[in-house]
């Protein structure tokens, strides 16, 4: 017996263990995937119930476990860190090192002047301050995200309904009541519907243009977000119906929390813009070149500071320090200190121009990034389309054998935008169309609101579209135009025709939509235009007879609609899915008001019309009316005592009530493309830019819209160009990469946020420069990740705007094309002023390299070079930002991300132009000492009466009066004198004779500096065009450049003639003869660049 019991208990224990395991797995599934479990299972898993909810103590415990229902702000870097980050640049670090060394040398030598390091540091600090300001201004995306969160919620706690519980206090397991107009406070599982249907607007999260019907039934565990019909997500809005939900996720665990996390990751993984990439590459090459040149200059002059004597080596410290200073001067000369400021100014100017074109730039480098964008990933809803559902086609009976197709124009909720494509006189006599307008208006719960100069829908977009259609059809018999004009002056939101139609019908009951019968209807009494008319005797008679003669002629009284008191004027107005609604119709209304049987032939014609509209991606709505068999509902006022109450309370009766109806017509509705989008798409294609349409809508609708705006041809095969987001993610990475690669556009339907990010990532991996447009919360991570994020300013959420680099103030896709053109023009101008600045810097470096390499005194001081690079070079370089774009710029292919500012051709131009500048500066510097009467100086340099020296003396100046002078050539050196343009005498004779070659070089240095400045100013006119001659692109074509050249020349003259400035910069005033020489040596730079342009044109 014991053995028997034992053998009996073993399987029992095993079954219990298996049962317990199944329960645990079921509970875990309900917690982790609530959409895949029955509502009761979810409630049980969270240990709550729909009547009592959680008790307060349990809610407090869960609050400690799960935290507050809010999105925490992203931690920000302190200002000091942002400031230090601005110095994380190779060229900036070189300048900092130069300033530090200069300071140490000035201190060690007991000098009191720290001008050079102070100037360098001031410039660097100013640029850093500007950078910090831009960053602080731009980072507001995550804060904006929190504005979408609900503030309060109606929650069941301790068996009572708390009407205004702060949404931050919600915890998983809370039971929440939701109704029309409320935002969903957290991610929730629908438990119970209080109405026949609940519709939630979640386009900002999923991109779907239509509201989503919710149901309590579970779905597959691996369903995507758009298929989770039993789930309501945080920050979406209920637009129809009401129900009870249980909270399943709060805070960062919600879908919107996942989006914030994605934004944060995208921010941390933010890609370098093509401009920054080019500048970084350019800076690295420049820094390497600077290092080599500086070291080379210091080493080749070793004989002046290394003394080889008696088999040993000693160092002449003063000379070693001097040549170290020369190396620092070379570093300062080589680095275009003004380049960051000029680029920032150029981008800011471009930003201003774009703002005038309704493109608001939040991140300066994005201006230039647009110029090399070769892929635009665009959301469909609200970007390519208006996100305002509109009727575009109507089918009504034309006769007993066929349907009449009627077009409707318009793309917004503005009733004056578009019209029904019929003559008014024809519309009056289409009684079935007039009846359809009455049903569209009254079997409708939406309303149109006019706010801040725009019309917007309150309610579902489909019903709003029907409302606007009714207004466009109008109410014959009213002076609509006159009434509408009055409405514009007073209340533009008033729909005159709809108001008239509504005044003729009184709604008594609503038979709400449900999934089974796929329709909704309203019981009304009154007068429905088109179905009833009054004859001359004023007696109202239904137009339901077999012949027109019985009803009398149609007169003015017909259009008044009769009165609301007619005892027989009861209707059931219905709309719904055509396949279901048409099946419950037995008759149809003809244009003349006669009612005829709905034959099989007519049903076939209706089916053909539905196929026609579905092929164009339209959403089809059928409208019908029932006028007889409604006696039971006469006098119904909503009271339970009325005999009809029991029928109306039971939804199973609705299909029976909606039977034996009269078919009125079918309306095709769509989210229409923006009028200007097709032209903008063509411009993008001409510019070599691919368009990727990424939407949450279904595949057929997405393809239809793409064809309508010429993204694809009418008959183009889309097998390799159109894909559902989920199918795309099921491909392996190689297949996904192949799909996005190649030429032509692509369309992705039913896309989720993660799909958009993957697409952007793959495109960037392939070397593309990606712009992502969007307006919803779901777009924010991809906007942040893309090279340039473009948000819609009007329809866009604050989240999208905050994550974007550019905001379109007019929501106009064509504005992107204008911005791309502006970006290309800005890059072209950047090339111009970089070519101008770098060739100028090469001239400075080469001049110093020549003189120092030959053993001459330093031709320029670091302060002089800083002045040239920042003050005299800066204004012309900035003015080049105003150069007009060259013709045909938008017909060129986008430049590649890998393209750098400097290639072999541009380097050759830099070296040629800069080489001439450097040689001219060195020539005038040496010439003043050695050959003042050289004919190349035109007017000559001997007019100041200075003493000349030999070439040996100027190239071996460091040996003068030094311990390493052993050849005896300096014994008779007497120095020299000269006078400046003001008559001041500079005497370097006697004991200070050797200073004639060092401190006395001020005149020669001033001449060289003036040649350098004037050459650069002439060279700025060369930069007006990369290819065109200065004879065709006149200097005055850019008035800003002309003014800046004159201003820069004036600034240079000021440091030559104003005493305090002459002391700071080590300059002396020049005479008229000397200015002639300066101009004679500077002007040929125009000819040098003209020769280079000629070579470029010949090569092309």
């Amino acid at each position: 017996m014991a053995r028997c019991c034992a053998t009996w208990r073993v399987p029992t224990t095993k079954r219990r263990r298996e049962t317990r395991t199944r329960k645990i797995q079921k509970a875990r599934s309900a917690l982790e995937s609530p959409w895949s479990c029955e509502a009761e299972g979810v409630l049980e898993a969270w240990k709550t119930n729909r009547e009592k909810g959680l008790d307060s103590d349990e809610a407090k415990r869960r609050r400690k476990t799960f935290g507050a229902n809010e999105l925490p702000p992203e931690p920000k870097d302190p200002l000091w860190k942002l400031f230090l980050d601005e110095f994380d640049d190779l060229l900036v670090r070189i300048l900092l090192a130069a300033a530090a060394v200069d300071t140490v040398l000035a201190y060690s030598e007991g000098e009191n002047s720290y001008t050079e390091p102070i100037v360098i540091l001031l410039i660097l600090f100013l640029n850093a301050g500007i950078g910090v300001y831009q960053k602080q201004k731009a980072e507001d995306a995550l804060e904006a995200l929190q504005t979408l969160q609900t503030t309060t919620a109606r929650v069941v706690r301790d068996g009572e309904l708390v009407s205004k519980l702060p949404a931050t206090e919600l915890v998983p397991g809370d039971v929440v009541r939701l109704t029309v107009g409320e935002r969903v406070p957290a991610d929730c599982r629908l438990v119970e519907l209080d109405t026949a249907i609940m519709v939630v607007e979640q386009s900002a999260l999923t991109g779907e243009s239509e509201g989503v019907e919710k149901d309590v039934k579970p779905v597959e565990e691996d369903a995507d977000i758009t298929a989770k019909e039993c789930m309501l997500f945080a920050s979406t809005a209920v637009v129809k119906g009401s129900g009870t939900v249980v909270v399943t996720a709060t805070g960062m665990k919600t879908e919107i929390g996942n989006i914030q996390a994605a934004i944060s990751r995208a921010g941390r993984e933010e890609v370098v813009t093509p401009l920054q990439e080019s500048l970084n590459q350019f800076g690295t090459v420049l820094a390497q070149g600077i290092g080599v040149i500086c070291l080379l200059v210091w080493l080749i002059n070793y004989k002046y500071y290394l003394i080889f004597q008696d088999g040993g080596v000693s160092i002449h410290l003063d000379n070693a320090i001097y040549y170290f200073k020369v190396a620092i001067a070379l570093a300062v000369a080589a680095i275009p200190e003004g380049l960051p400021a000029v680029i920032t100014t150029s981008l800011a100017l471009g930003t201003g121009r774009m703002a005038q074109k309704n493109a608001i730039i939040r991140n300066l480098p994005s201006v230039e990034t647009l110029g090399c964008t070769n892929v635009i990933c665009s959301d469909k809803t609200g970007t390519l389309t208006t996100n305002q559902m509109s009727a575009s086609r109507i089918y009504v009976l034309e006769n007993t054998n066929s349907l009449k197709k009627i077009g409707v124009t318009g793309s917004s909720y503005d009733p004056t935008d578009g019209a029904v494509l019929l003559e008014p006189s024809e519309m009056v006599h289409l009684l079935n169309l007039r009846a359809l307008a009455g049903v569209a208006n009254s079997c409708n719960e939406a309303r149109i609101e006019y706010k801040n100069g725009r019309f917007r829908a309150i309610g579902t977009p489909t019903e709003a579209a029907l409302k606007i259609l009714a207004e466009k059809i109008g109410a014959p018999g009213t002076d609509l135009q006159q009434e509408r004009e009055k409405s514009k002056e007073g209340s533009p939101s008033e729909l005159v025709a709809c108001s008239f139609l509504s005044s003729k019908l009184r709604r008594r009951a609503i038979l709400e939509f449900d999934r089974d019968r796929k329709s909704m209807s309203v019981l009304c009494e009154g007068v429905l235009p088109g179905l009833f008319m009054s004859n001359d005797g004023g007696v109202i008679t239904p137009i339901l007879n077999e012949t027109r003669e019985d009803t009398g002629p149609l007169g003015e009284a017909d259009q008044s609609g009769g009165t609301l008191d007619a005892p027989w004027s009861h209707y059931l107005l219905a709309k719904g899915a055509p396949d279901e609604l048409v099946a419950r119709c037995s008759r149809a209304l003809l244009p003349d008001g006669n009612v005829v049987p709905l034959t099989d032939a007519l049903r076939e014609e209706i089916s053909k019309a539905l196929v026609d509209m579905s092929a164009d991606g339209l959403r089809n709505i059928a409208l019908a009316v029932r006028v007889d068999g409604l006696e039971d509902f006469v006098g119904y006022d909503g009271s339970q005592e009325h005999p009809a109450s029991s029928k109306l309370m039971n939804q199973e009766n609705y299909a029976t009530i909606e039977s034996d109806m009269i078919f009125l017509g079918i309306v095709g509705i769509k989210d229409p493309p923006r009028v200007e989008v097709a032209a903008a798409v063509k411009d993008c294609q001409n510019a070599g830019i691919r368009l990727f349409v990424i939407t949450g809508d279904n595949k057929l609708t997405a393809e239809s819209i793409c064809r309508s705006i010429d993204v694809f041809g009418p008959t183009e095969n889309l097998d390799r160009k159109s894909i559902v987001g989920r199918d795309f993610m099921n491909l392996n990475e190689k297949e996904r990469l192949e799909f996005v690669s190649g030429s032509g556009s692509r369309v992705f339907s039913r896309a989720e946020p993660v799909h958009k990010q993957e697409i952007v990532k793959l495109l960037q991996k392939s070397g593309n420069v990606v712009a992502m447009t969007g307006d919803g919360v779901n777009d924010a991570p991809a906007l942040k990740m893309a090279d340039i994020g473009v948000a819609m300013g009007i329809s866009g959420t604050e989240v999208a705007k905050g994550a974007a680099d550019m905001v379109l103030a007019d929501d106009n896709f064509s504005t992107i094309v204008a911005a791309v053109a502006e970006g290309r023009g800005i890059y072209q101008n950047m090339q111009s002023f970089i070519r101008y600045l770098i060739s100028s810097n090469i001239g400075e470096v080469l001049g110093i390299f020549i003189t120092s390499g030959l053993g001459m005194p330093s031709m320029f001081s670091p302060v002089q070079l800083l002045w040239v690079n920042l003050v005299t070079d800066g204004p012309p370089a900035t003015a080049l930002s105003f150069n007009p774009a060259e013709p045909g710029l938008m017909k060129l292919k986008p430049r590649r991300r890998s393209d750098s500012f400097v290639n072999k051709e541009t380097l050759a131009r830099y070296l040629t132009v800069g080489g001439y500048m450097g040689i001219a500066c060195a020539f005038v510097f040496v010439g003043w000492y050695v050959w003042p009467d050289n004919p190349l100086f035109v007017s000559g340099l001997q007019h100041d009466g200075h003493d000349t020296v030999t070439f040996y003396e100027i190239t071996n100046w460091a040996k003068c009066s030094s311990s390493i002078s052993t050849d005896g050539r300096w014994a008779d050196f007497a120095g020299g004198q000269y006078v400046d343009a003001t008559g001041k005498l500079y005497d370097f004779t006697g004991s200070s004779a050797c200073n004639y070659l060092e401190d006395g070089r001020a005149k020669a240095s001033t001449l060289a500096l003036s040649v350098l400045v004037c050459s650069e100013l002439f060279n700025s006119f060369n930069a007006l065009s990369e290819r065109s001659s200065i004879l065709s692109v006149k200097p005055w074509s850019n008035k800003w450049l002309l003014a800046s050249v004159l201003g820069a020349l004036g600034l240079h003259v000021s440091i030559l003639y104003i005493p305090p400035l002459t002391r700071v910069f080590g300059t002396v005033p020049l005479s008229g003869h000397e200015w002639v020489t300066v101009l004679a040596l500077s002007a040929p730079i125009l000819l040098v660049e003209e020769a280079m342009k000629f070579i470029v044109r010949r090569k092309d």
Side-chain angles (χ1 to χ4, degrees):
M1 184 68 182
R3 185 190 305 176
C4 181
C5 291
T7 53
W8 183 256
R9 288 194 191 98
V10 170
T12 303
T13 303
K14 183 177 181 181
R15 283 197 299 271
R16 286 175 179 172
R17 188 164 54 247
E18 290 174 350
T19 300
R20 187 164 57 250
T21 301
R22 283 196 298 271
K23 286 183 177 180
I24 293 172
Q25 291 174 344
K26 186 177 180 181
R28 183 181 295 118
S29 178
L31 294 175
E32 295 176 355
S33 307
W35 55 87
S36 64
C37 302
E38 293 291 343
E40 291 301 327
V42 177
L43 289 168
E44 183 180 345
W46 284 109
K47 299 179 180 178
T48 186
N49 67 71
R50 69 186 74 190
E51 288 82 18
K52 294 183 179 181
L54 297 173
D55 62 62
S56 298
D57 292 336
E58 177 62 21
K60 288 178 181 178
R61 284 192 292 271
R62 294 190 184 189
R63 176 85 185 274
K64 291 179 181 179
T65 303
F66 296 101
N69 179 34
E70 60 185 2
L71 303 181
E74 188 79 4
K76 287 188 175 183
D77 290 332
L79 283 175
W80 63 266
K81 189 176 186 304
L82 293 175
F83 187 78
L84 290 180
D85 287 345
E86 294 299 315
F87 294 89
D88 188 19
D89 179 86
L90 186 58
L91 296 182
V92 172
R93 289 198 294 268
I94 291 174
L95 280 175
L96 281 174
V101 171
D102 221 4
T103 302
V104 171
L105 292 178
Y107 178 78
S108 64
E109 294 177 358
E111 297 179 7
N112 294 322
S113 176
Y114 295 93
T115 304
E116 294 173 7
I118 288 174
V119 170
I120 293 174
L121 291 174
L122 282 176
I123 292 165
L124 294 178
F125 285 0
L126 180 62
N127 279 333
I130 294 172
V132 170
Y133 173 75
Q134 290 294 337
K135 285 184 178 179
Q136 285 289 95
K137 187 179 177 182
E139 290 301 320
D140 60 353
L142 298 180
E143 289 85 346
L145 190 59
Q146 297 182 51
T147 64
L148 284 183
Q149 297 199 78
T150 316
T151 55
T152 62
R154 295 185 298 124
V155 186
V156 178
R157 286 271 179 93
D158 300 313
E160 296 181 357
L161 183 65
V162 182
S163 60
K164 290 187 178 181
L165 184 78
T168 56
E169 296 184 14
L170 285 177
V171 295
D174 264 325
V175 175
V176 179
R177 311 286 192 203
L178 289 172
T179 189
V180 176
E182 293 181 339
R183 281 195 176 275
V184 182
D187 282 5
C188 306
R189 170 66 160 90
L190 184 60
V191 172
E192 183 180 13
L193 284 172
D194 298 333
T195 54
I197 186 174
M198 175 183 274
V199 179
V200 176
E201 172 58 54
Q202 55 187 44
S203 64
L205 187 66
T206 65
E208 295 168 287
S209 58
E210 278 288 319
V212 179
E213 298 173 13
K214 296 298 179 179
D215 192 7
V216 296
K217 297 177 183 177
V219 296
E220 295 294 327
E221 185 172 352
D222 61 348
D224 58 30
I225 189 171
T226 58
K228 295 175 183 177
E229 296 176 349
C230 59
M231 296 294 295
L232 282 72
F233 302 106
S235 296
T236 58
V238 180
V239 295
K240 193 171 187 178
S242 59
T244 301
V245 298
V246 59
V247 175
T248 58
T250 58
M252 291 297 289
K253 298 296 184 181
T254 62
E255 286 294 331
I256 198 170
N258 293 336
I259 289 175
Q260 168 154 331
I263 294 175
S264 300
R265 289 193 300 271
R268 289 193 292 269
E269 301 167 4
E270 197 164 1
V271 295
V272 178
T273 68
L275 174 62
Q276 292 166 334
E277 198 171 289
S278 297
L279 289 175
N280 290 342
Q281 181 183 11
F282 171 71
T284 301
V285 173
L286 187 59
Q288 293 171 349
I290 290 169
V292 171
I293 292 174
C294 291
L295 183 62
L296 190 60
V297 166
W298 196 62
L299 292 177
I300 63 177
N301 286 285
Y302 74 93
K303 59 183 178 181
Y304 298 113
Y305 53 83
L306 291 180
I307 304 171
F308 299 92
Q309 206 170 34
D310 299 329
V313 179
S314 61
I315 298 178
H316 193 294
L317 188 59
D318 289 344
N319 286 355
I321 291 175
Y322 175 82
Y323 281 103
F324 196 69
K325 284 185 174 182
V326 171
I328 292 174
L330 266 174
V332 174
I335 298 173
E337 293 85 359
L339 184 58
V342 171
I343 288 178
T344 299
T345 304
S346 175
L347 293 175
L349 290 171
T351 297
R353 289 195 296 269
M354 289 175 129
Q356 294 174 357
K357 300 176 182 178
N358 293 313
I360 301 169
I361 301 297
R362 299 180 64 253
N363 184 22
L364 283 183
S366 303
V367 179
E368 184 276 336
T369 305
L370 275 167
C372 53
T373 297
N374 60 352
V375 179
I376 295 178
C377 295
S378 176
D379 184 39
K380 179 191 76 69
T381 305
T383 306
L384 298 175
T385 64
T386 64
N387 197 21
Q388 298 185 35
M389 299 295 283
S390 300
S392 65
R393 200 173 305 167
I394 306 171
Y395 278 96
V396 295
L397 262 66
E398 186 170 33
N399 51 50
T400 56
N401 298 312
S402 62
L403 302 183
K404 182 179 182 64
K405 179 179 177 180
I406 303 170
V408 185
T409 60
S411 58
S412 70
Y413 294 136
D414 184 347
T416 62
D417 174 23
V420 178
L421 301 180
L422 288 174
E423 292 295 329
S425 57
E426 184 180 4
M427 200 182 306
V428 169
H429 294 282
L430 288 177
L431 300 186
N432 48 5
L433 182 64
R434 293 170 59 188
L436 182 144
V439 175
N441 173 71
S442 297
C443 187
N444 198 316
E445 295 183 79
R447 59 188 177 88
I448 305 299
E449 180 181 75
Y450 184 78
K451 191 174 183 180
N452 298 327
R454 296 178 66 243
F455 289 88
R456 69 186 190 96
I458 307 297
T460 62
T462 299
E463 291 194 327
L466 290 173
K467 199 75 148 176
I468 295 301
L469 174 63
E471 182 69 18
K472 289 178 179 178
I473 294 174
T478 65
D479 191 346
L480 285 179
Q481 189 60 35
Q482 183 178 354
E483 292 292 329
R484 281 174 176 166
E485 291 301 324
K486 291 180 181 178
S487 174
K488 287 181 181 179
E489 296 174 4
S491 175
S493 63
E494 183 183 354
L495 304 185
V496 177
C498 290
S499 297
F500 174 82
L501 292 170
S502 297
S503 71
K504 301 301 178 185
L505 287 170
R506 182 178 299 152
R507 296 202 307 186
R508 291 302 190 184
I510 299 176
L511 282 66
E512 293 177 330
F513 181 95
D514 66 47
R515 290 173 177 270
D516 295 327
R517 72 185 208 284
K518 297 180 181 179
S519 61
M520 75 156 286
S521 57
V522 292
L523 283 164
C524 300
E525 62 179 39
V527 176
L528 181 67
L531 273 178
F532 293 88
M533 61 182 289
S534 33
N535 55 28
D536 293 338
V539 179
I540 301 173
T541 307
I543 305 179
L544 296 175
N545 311 71
E546 294 299 321
T547 62
R548 279 287 288 172
E549 288 74 10
D550 295 338
T551 62
L554 185 65
E556 294 182 4
D558 305 332
Q559 302 167 11
S560 68
T563 70
L564 291 173
D565 301 321
W568 42 261
S569 52
H570 296 275
Y571 315 93
L572 178 79
L573 312 181
K575 71 174 188 292
D579 54 344
E580 294 289 336
L581 202 70
V582 173
R584 298 200 294 275
C585 292
S586 58
R587 295 167 290 172
L589 186 64
L590 290 172
D592 61 1
N594 282 311
V595 174
V596 296
L598 189 59
T599 61
D600 290 341
L602 282 176
R603 293 181 188 275
E604 182 65 26
E605 290 297 312
I606 292 172
S607 297
K608 291 179 181 178
L610 292 173
V611 171
D612 172 58
M613 291 197 285
S614 296
D616 290 336
L618 301 183
R619 182 180 184 184
N620 303 321
I621 305 292
L623 297 101
V625 61
R626 182 175 181 180
V627 296
D628 49 8
L630 301 175
E631 294 80 5
D632 292 346
F633 303 100
V634 173
Y636 177 71
D637 57 0
S639 66
Q640 295 184 357
E641 288 76 18
H642 193 282
S645 178
S646 58
K647 288 186 178 181
L648 293 174
M649 293 298 290
N650 187 353
Q651 293 184 12
E652 294 180 359
N653 296 323
Y654 286 2
T656 304
I657 298 172
E658 293 174 354
S659 61
D660 195 25
M661 294 186 291
I662 301 170
F663 172 77
L664 300 178
I666 306 170
V667 178
I669 298 173
K670 67 177 179 180
D671 181 9
R674 296 179 181 275
V675 176
E676 67 282 347
V677 163
V681 168
K682 186 175 182 180
D683 289 340
C684 285
Q685 293 168 342
N686 291 337
I689 299 171
R690 302 171 67 200
L691 181 60
F692 279 37
V693 179
I694 308 173
T695 177
D697 276 339
N698 65 65
K699 188 175 182 181
L700 183 61
T701 300
E703 290 177 354
S704 174
I705 287 291
C706 287
R707 292 187 192 276
S708 69
I709 58 176
D710 297 332
V711 174
F712 304 117
T715 59
E716 186 175 347
N717 189 327
L718 302 184
D719 289 344
R720 300 288 299 169
K721 298 180 180 180
S722 176
I723 194 169
V724 175
R726 190 173 178 181
D727 295 340
F728 176 74
M729 294 302 290
N730 287 335
L731 302 175
N732 60 48
E733 185 171 349
K734 182 180 178 181
E735 291 172 330
R736 292 200 298 268
L737 198 57
E738 288 177 355
F739 185 85
V740 301
S741 301
S743 60
S745 298
R746 302 286 187 272
V747 57
F748 299 81
S749 50
R750 292 299 185 197
E752 295 185 36
V754 65
H755 302 159
K756 298 183 179 184
Q757 296 171 63
E758 178 66 15
I759 293 165
V760 171
K761 189 182 295 184
L762 287 170
L763 287 169
Q764 290 175 333
K765 188 176 181 179
S766 303
N768 295 285
V769 179
V770 184
M772 169 71 187
T773 73
D775 59 355
V777 176
N778 61 315
D779 298 321
L783 288 173
K784 194 81 172 178
M785 182 183 292
D787 295 283
I788 175 166
V790 185
M792 303 297 110
I794 297 173
S795 61
T797 62
E798 290 304 312
V799 182
K801 296 175 192 176
D805 301 295
M806 183 174 82
V807 179
L808 303 183
D810 58 356
D811 283 15
N812 194 332
F813 187 81
S814 63
T815 302
I816 299 175
V817 181
V820 168
E822 186 68 39
R824 291 189 177 189
I826 286 172
Y827 183 77
Q828 172 191 279
N829 291 340
M830 279 186 179
Q831 286 183 312
S832 296
F833 64 63
I834 288 175
R835 185 171 71 249
Y836 163 67
L837 288 174
I838 299 305
S839 59
S840 299
N841 282 40
I842 288 175
E844 298 166 14
V845 171
L846 187 60
I848 295 175
F849 186 78
I850 291 172
T851 54
S852 300
L854 293 174
M856 298 180 190
S858 178
M859 186 165 57
F860 303 125
S861 70
V863 170
Q864 289 175 337
L865 294 172
L866 276 172
W867 175 262
V868 171
N869 289 351
L870 291 169
V871 181
T872 56
D873 285 358
T878 303
L880 289 171
S881 302
F882 291 94
N883 281 353
E886 293 196 12
L889 197 61
M890 281 300 288
K891 293 184 178 179
L892 301 176
K893 290 184 178 180
R895 71 179 183 88
R896 293 170 296 181
R897 178 187 285 275
S898 57
D899 290 348
S900 63
F901 283 117
V902 183
N903 53 37
K904 292 181 180 179
E905 293 180 357
T906 55
L907 181 61
R909 293 177 75 168
Y910 292 168
L911 292 174
T912 303
V913 175
Y916 175 83
M917 289 185 193
I919 292 171
C921 291
F923 180 63
V924 75
F925 182 81
V926 177
W928 183 82
Y929 273 113
V930 182
W931 310 298
D933 56 352
N934 191 301
L936 292 177
F937 294 146
V938 184
S939 185
L941 298 176
Q942 70 277 19
H943 301 288
D944 59 1
H946 72 278
D947 298 295
T948 60
V949 299
T950 65
F951 188 75
Y952 173 83
E953 291 170 340
I954 190 64
T955 55
N956 290 271
W957 69 277
K959 296 180 180 180
C960 181
S961 188
S962 69
S963 59
I964 60 174
S965 179
T966 57
D967 56 10
R969 298 187 185 185
W970 296 95
D972 298 326
F973 183 71
Q977 299 177 327
Y978 65 87
V979 294
D980 63 21
T982 64
K984 180 181 178 180
L985 175 66
Y986 296 82
D987 187 3
F988 300 93
T989 58
S991 60
S992 61
C994 287
N995 285 341
Y996 186 51
L997 301 174
E998 186 174 358
D999 296 340
R1001 76 184 190 281
K1003 172 57 82 69
S1005 179
T1006 302
L1007 286 166
L1009 185 65
S1010 299
V1011 169
L1012 176 66
V1013 169
C1014 291
S1015 295
E1016 292 178 356
L1017 296 181
F1018 279 123
N1019 189 37
S1020 67
F1021 293 115
N1022 289 326
L1024 283 168
S1025 174
E1026 185 178 2
R1027 302 173 68 258
S1028 302
S1029 168
I1030 196 172
L1031 299 176
S1032 58
V1033 182
K1034 303 295 190 294
W1036 50 87
S1037 64
N1038 185 339
K1039 295 179 181 179
W1040 291 102
L1041 178 61
L1042 199 59
S1044 66
V1045 166
L1046 294 175
L1049 185 61
L1051 290 171
H1052 175 68
V1053 169
S1054 70
I1055 69 169
L1056 269 59
Y1057 295 95
I1058 299 176
L1061 296 178
T1062 59
R1063 287 192 295 272
V1064 172
F1065 291 98
T1067 57
V1068 297
L1070 299 181
S1071 66
H1073 290 287
E1074 290 162 345
W1075 273 112
V1076 171
T1077 298
V1078 167
L1079 295 175
L1081 291 176
S1082 304
I1085 197 70
L1086 295 170
L1087 300 178
V1088 174
E1089 180 64 14
E1090 282 296 304
M1092 299 301 297
K1093 289 181 179 179
F1094 178 76
I1095 293 172
V1096 171
R1097 290 196 298 271
R1098 287 290 299 270
K1099 186 177 179 180
D1100 291 345

